Amino acid sequence: MRTLTLRGGARVAVVAEEWYDAFAVVTRGRVQLELRDGEAGPVLGRDAGFWLRGTGVRALRNPGRRTARVRIVTPAARTVTCESTPVRQLPNDGGTT
């Protein structure tokens, strides 16, 4: 998992190969999608999740003054997000399950 930070007015190009299997979530601020033809797309606010595969989006922009953050999750990421807790096995009392 990685975090993309966009200062106010910043723009970052979307390279299709890098975003192929990525799911993104806006965690702070607002992010605007820049469409293939250069037109402004929708503005996504906090907690908005989105895929970019097959959408033709060519950039992400921060339309505001405050810094925006986007968390990017990919299935291939090897980041551990939580640790597993051992589960205690209950004794078998011969009853039905």
Side-chain angles (χ1 to χ4, degrees):
M1 187 177 326
R2 62 186 177 159
T3 301
L4 174 65
T5 303
L6 294 166
R7 293 185 181 258
R11 177 186 180 274
V12 64
V14 172
V15 179
E17 294 80 30
E18 293 176 14
W19 290 79
Y20 178 73
D21 60 351
F23 181 75
V25 178
V26 179
T27 59
R28 181 179 178 191
R30 298 181 313 144
V31 174
Q32 184 170 32
L33 306 181
E34 184 179 308
L35 305 178
R36 182 180 327 190
D37 58 4
E39 292 292 320
V43 176
L44 306 173
R46 186 172 181 206
D47 295 333
F50 58 98
W51 295 95
L52 292 177
R53 177 178 39 192
T55 62
V57 170
R58 70 178 192 180
L60 300 177
R61 296 183 334 154
N62 179 351
R65 292 182 182 179
R66 295 183 51 206
T67 299
R69 287 198 179 106
V70 180
R71 295 292 295 216
I72 303 162
V73 183
T74 58
R78 301 202 182 262
T79 302
V80 176
T81 57
C82 65
E83 294 182 21
S84 59
T85 305
V87 177
R88 184 173 62 98
Q89 182 78 26
L90 296 175
N92 183 353
D93 63 0
T96 60
T97 56

